[in-house]
Every structure is written in structure tokens, then in C-alpha cells.
Amino acid sequence: MKICVLGSGYVGLVTAVCLAKLGHTVVGLDIDAEKINKLQQGILPIYEPGLEELLTTYLQVGNLSFTQDLATALKDSQVVFNAVGTPPDDNRRADLTYVEAAARQVAEHLDHYLVFVNKSTVPVGTAERVRQIIQENLRVKTDFAVASNPEFLREGSAIGDFLQPDRIVVGVDSEMAADYLRQVYQPLISEGKTFMLTDIKSAELIKYAANSFLATKVGFINEVANVCDSLGADISQVARGIGLDTRINPKFLEAGPGFGGSCFPKDVDEFIYTASDAGVALQILPAVVLANKQQRLVVINKLSKHLGNLSGKTIALWGLAFKPKTDDVRESAALDIIKQLYAAGANIQAYDPLANKNAQVVLDKLNNIKFFNDKFLALKEADALLLMTHWEEFGAVKAAEIAPHLKIIVDARNLWSRSDFESLGLIYEGIGR
Ligand code: NAD
């Protein structure tokens, strides 16, 4: 099929490249000229494992291209995937400015039937709003459809998630739109992947309900971890013990500093508002948000337990990305905690294998923070080490390599073993064990 993908960010790029791999002819677009320039040369503007190789391959094969010229890109396109950002606005609602602008731009150039598919995470009712915008801005009278196809990929494993999805959720209101999307995903459907057709509102809601459920699972295990801390139990054992129950399953049962990232915080907030607008006062999710906020304090308190007043203390902090294998720092727990440490007067010496640059952009007004390109240099003259992201390279570090630099380790990801550090006379704090 001939497909346009609007937005060449984490989701749009993976979508464009993977659709090219599935055999479609794909044009990726973005309003950011620098991104498009780079992509045309085969240079990725973001980090995602395996993406660069696929980008190079399909640019060479010739069924993948990037442009800023929407009019040409839309010619003969049968499907437009909208993967533009929906960041939280100042009130923590999903900002639909980019989605609405994209719909308007498509309408202005549309002269034939196509399916406009919202892949971005958008509140219930957005497809209807997009349909209206397109209708109002058409310059040539033509039929079109709007569909919802929420994306469930995870940064760090996005390609595998796209090509081997647990399910493909598609919300449509016409048989023709369903047929188009069936054709898009035919290679995955024929491999036995579940293609779930539903109504548009349910598809939109599925994404929010899924992320909110996962965020709740994280919030729950963190609370159990805090109980473990107080009672002397071990959260790793407890999580394994409950996760072996197939009704519960072991995933998302890792205690830590609370969820962050580009999706969970904003999606949970938007879901609470969406429900409230619909007259439903949710009880569980506001508690999840509050518990998540308090979990940051659990981590900070572990530092102050051993360092006392944090003012003037130097904290080495390993890991800025919200999870390993990505350079994305949006709403990362590490950045949240840095801001709180900074407010308490601490100095921070930070290191991340990939996310230093993005973190610097977000934290540019904080002058008590230094960034390092070497994790051991970040430890020099620090009072404690705080591990925030469980990058593989941190897991490979031996306690003996840290021991010469400092004596207090707060492992907010339960990556290391307590006995390795304690046997060297160091103080080790995990989360719930
Ligand atoms: P992103 O910020 O990385 O990318 C969005 C891109 O859209 C940017 O490059 C921006 O320049 C571009 N853009 C904005 N307006 C445009 C327009 N009119 N035309 C063309 N391009 C335009 O965002 P992302 O992380 O890829 O997320 C996109 C959507 O997918 C969001 O709704 C998000 O919630 C959802 N989502 C994200 C993930 C994830 O892991 N990042 C996973 C599932 C769903």
C-alpha cells in the first residue's frame, strides 16, 4: 500500500520503517526540517536499537523516503498514519494542537479517498474531532475515513514490539476503512497476530486503560516494596512469588523510583480527566499518581538517611533516561529526583550512556549539575551514588570498582546485590529489599 506517516519521532519513525519492512511504500513527514534532512541522509534523530540498520536498508531498497512536502506525499496515498506528539499541556491534559494541525494540513491537500489513522495516543472523541476538521478544511469534495490504531510499542524494544505485537487494535466506523487497515497489517495477520477490530471510541480508550493499568501495577508493587522495607521482607522474592500466579504475571512487578517517561504520567492524568468529563470520578488512578509522587521521596529519603541534610552534598547519579536503551528523558524519574535534590541544595554529577544531551536541554537552568561522559569520573569526590536507570552497563560494574570512590549506594532499580557491597564495608540501599 502507499502510506504517509505524519511525525518522525519515536513512534512515527518506527512505524514508517517497519511498514516499509512489511513491503509498503512509505513516506515519512515531519515539520522539523532538521529531522527530515538527517533522515534523508540515513541519520537517525533519536536512538532506538536496530532502527538505523532498517532505515538504511529501506532507504536503499527505495520504498521508504522522507519529505516535508505533504502535497506530493499525499498523492496516491491510501492511508495516513498520524503519529505526531500529544504532550501534556500546562493543565496536564493531552495537547491536541499537533493532531488538529496535521488533520487540517491533510484536508487542504486531499483529493481522493484515504483513511486518516490516529496512531498517536488521543482522548476519546478525538477521531470525531479530526473528522470534523478534515471535513471543514477540504478544498476538493472527497470521501475519507478516520480510524484509531493506538500504538503499544515500548522505546528500547520498539521494532520487535511493532513487528511482533501482542495485538493490533483498530477502531473503525466503516468496512472500507477496516479493509484498508487489514491490508496494511496483512503480513502480521498472516503470521497469526491478533487483529482486533472495534469501534473508534473503544480503540481510543483501550490505549489509556492499558497504560493506566500498567502504571497501577508499578504503583502497587512499589507500595508492597515499601512495606517490605519496613518489615524486613525482600520485594524480589515477594514479586516472584506473586508473579508466578498466571493471573498476575511477572511483568511490571519491579520495584523502583516510580514510573516516568513520555507516556504513563501524561496518559494516566488524561484518563482521569477524560473520566471526570464523562461524569465518572475515578478513585484508583488519582491514588496511583499520588503514590508515584511519593515514591520519588522514598528514594531521596534513602540518601538523607545516611547523608543527613543534603545541602552541599554531592550525589553521583547514574542513569537519566526514563528506561534503558533509549535517549528519551521525558518525565524521567531521574530528572524529577534531580530537580528535588537540586532544590535541597545538593550538587549532582550525572552520567548516562545516551541521554546526557537530552537531559542537559531539560535541566539547563540548574547550575549545580555536572554531566560526565565517563561513569567513574562522575563518582569522583561524591558522597553517594544513586542508580536511577538499569542500563546493562551498570549491571556489569563490580562493587569493587565503586568502593574506592564512595561508601553509600542507593540502588533505585534493585540492579545490584546488597551482599556484594556490604562485604566491602559499603552501605547499600535498595527498594524493598
Ligand atoms: P515525538 O515527540 O518523538 O514525535 C512527534 C513528532 O511529530 C515530532 O518529530 C514533531 O516534530 C512531529 N510533528 C508535529 N506536528 C507535525 C505535523 N503537523 N506534521 C508532521 N509532523 C509533525 O513523539 P512520540 O514519542 O513519537 O509520540 C507520538 C505519539 O505516540 C504520542 O501521542 C504518544 O503518546 C504516542 N505513543 C508514544 C510511545 C512512545 O514510547 N514514545 C508509545 C506509544 C504511543
Side-chain angles (χ1 to χ4, degrees):
M1 296 196 92
K2 296 215 163 116
I3 299 174
C4 277
V5 181
L6 302 181
S8 297
Y10 290 89
V11 168
L13 257 182
V14 171
T15 301
V17 167
C18 289
L19 290 174
K21 183 171 163 56
L22 295 182
H24 302 297
T25 300
V26 185
V27 184
L29 292 110
D30 206 286
I31 46 170
D32 182 337
E34 198 188 322
K35 269 190 187 173
I36 294 300
N37 277 340
K38 280 188 171 167
L39 287 164
Q40 285 168 338
Q41 299 166 55
I43 303 167
L44 272 187
I46 54 155
Y47 175 77
E48 179 59 41
L51 192 56
E52 192 161 9
E53 293 84 331
L54 288 181
L55 172 72
T56 312
T57 303
Y58 293 98
L59 284 175
Q60 272 167 14
V61 170
N63 65 335
L64 173 66
S65 60
F66 292 90
T67 182
Q68 281 208 282
D69 177 3
L70 180 61
T72 313
L74 275 181
K75 272 209 175 84
D76 311 325
S77 277
Q78 296 156 290
V79 177
V80 172
F81 278 100
N82 168 35
V84 303
T86 51
D89 67 14
D90 291 344
N91 300 316
R92 302 289 304 167
R93 302 258 5 200
D95 180 354
L96 296 177
T97 314
Y98 302 106
V99 172
E100 293 178 356
R104 226 171 285 120
Q105 287 151 10
V106 167
E108 286 166 6
H109 298 291
L110 199 59
D111 60 3
H112 63 281
Y113 178 89
L114 56 65
V115 185
F116 185 101
V117 186
N118 281 328
K119 192 165 254 315
S120 304
T121 303
V122 289
V124 176
T126 304
E128 185 47 32
R129 171 92 191 105
V130 162
R131 201 190 57 74
Q132 272 172 11
I133 291 173
I134 297 180
Q135 193 67 57
E136 285 163 15
N137 288 277
L138 281 175
R139 289 182 183 166
V140 176
K141 196 169 178 303
T142 177
D143 195 14
F144 66 92
V146 178
S148 166
N149 171 217
E151 181 51 59
F152 302 101
L153 64 77
R154 297 159 298 173
E155 289 173 23
S157 55
I159 292 169
D161 291 343
F162 192 97
L163 294 172
Q164 301 294 321
D166 291 337
R167 77 300 203 193
I168 300 155
V169 172
V170 166
V172 285
D173 60 3
S174 74
E175 210 20 69
M176 184 126 144
D179 273 352
Y180 271 46
L181 279 152
R182 231 183 254 115
Q183 283 181 59
V184 169
Y185 288 111
Q186 195 49 49
L188 300 179
I189 297 169
S190 53
E191 282 174 16
K193 301 295 171 227
T194 302
F195 182 79
M196 180 186 161
L197 264 188
T198 181
D199 64 282
I200 292 175
K201 283 185 181 173
S202 300
E204 290 172 331
L205 196 57
I206 283 168
K207 176 67 190 176
Y208 283 99
N211 274 0
S212 297
F213 185 82
L214 292 171
T216 304
K217 212 172 167 188
V218 173
F220 178 80
I221 202 66
N222 283 338
E223 291 218 304
V224 178
N226 298 340
V227 176
C228 286
D229 258 341
S230 291
L231 296 178
D234 181 343
I235 190 63
S236 314
Q237 296 300 313
V238 176
R240 181 169 142 76
I242 63 175
L244 285 170
D245 184 329
T246 51
R247 292 170 303 175
I248 296 176
N249 131 354
K251 291 179 185 162
F252 276 77
L253 289 182
E254 285 158 11
F259 59 80
S262 56
C263 292
F264 284 8
K266 78 171 173 65
D267 292 350
V268 171
D269 285 344
E270 176 54 47
F271 191 36
I272 294 169
Y273 281 120
T274 298
S276 166
D277 289 350
V280 181
L282 297 180
Q283 305 298 319
I284 295 173
L285 288 180
V288 169
V289 172
L290 190 64
N292 201 55
K293 217 170 159 187
Q294 280 169 358
Q295 196 62 18
R296 310 285 200 244
L297 292 180
V298 168
V299 174
I300 293 169
N301 288 343
K302 282 175 189 282
L303 285 169
S304 27
K305 180 173 151 192
H306 299 287
L307 293 172
N309 188 338
L310 294 174
S311 179
K313 300 286 167 20
T314 299
I315 314 296
L317 188 141
W318 282 5
L320 296 161
F322 82 93
K323 62 194 281 194
K325 297 189 190 168
T326 182
D327 57 356
D328 196 348
V329 298
R330 287 177 285 182
E331 301 205 40
S332 133
L335 266 55
D336 245 15
I337 283 182
I338 285 177
K339 286 178 197 157
Q340 293 186 46
L341 292 174
Y342 176 82
N347 305 307
I348 291 116
Q349 302 186 162
Y351 165 81
D352 188 283
L354 282 178
N356 276 5
K357 211 169 121 208
N358 284 344
Q360 247 160 331
V361 173
V362 181
L363 298 171
D364 72 335
K365 288 190 193 76
L366 310 190
N367 46 24
N368 281 9
I369 169 157
K370 286 190 196 139
F371 293 90
F372 289 80
N373 292 322
D374 177 312
K375 54 182 168 291
F376 291 108
L377 285 181
L379 301 183
K380 288 235 149 65
E381 282 157 42
D383 296 296
L385 167 61
L386 171 57
L387 180 118
M388 285 301 301
T389 314
H390 42 308
W391 282 97
E392 230 173 83
E393 70 168 65
F394 298 149
V397 173
K398 301 271 177 295
E401 296 176 88
I402 295 172
H405 301 284
L406 40 78
K407 299 284 168 252
I408 300 164
I409 286 94
V410 176
D411 175 1
R413 296 290 179 176
N414 291 342
L415 184 69
W416 291 312
S417 127
R418 168 184 293 279
S419 59
D420 286 356
F421 287 90
E422 288 186 344
S423 64
L424 297 174
L426 275 68
I427 294 170
Y428 173 91
E429 290 277 354
I431 305 289
R433 47 164 222 164

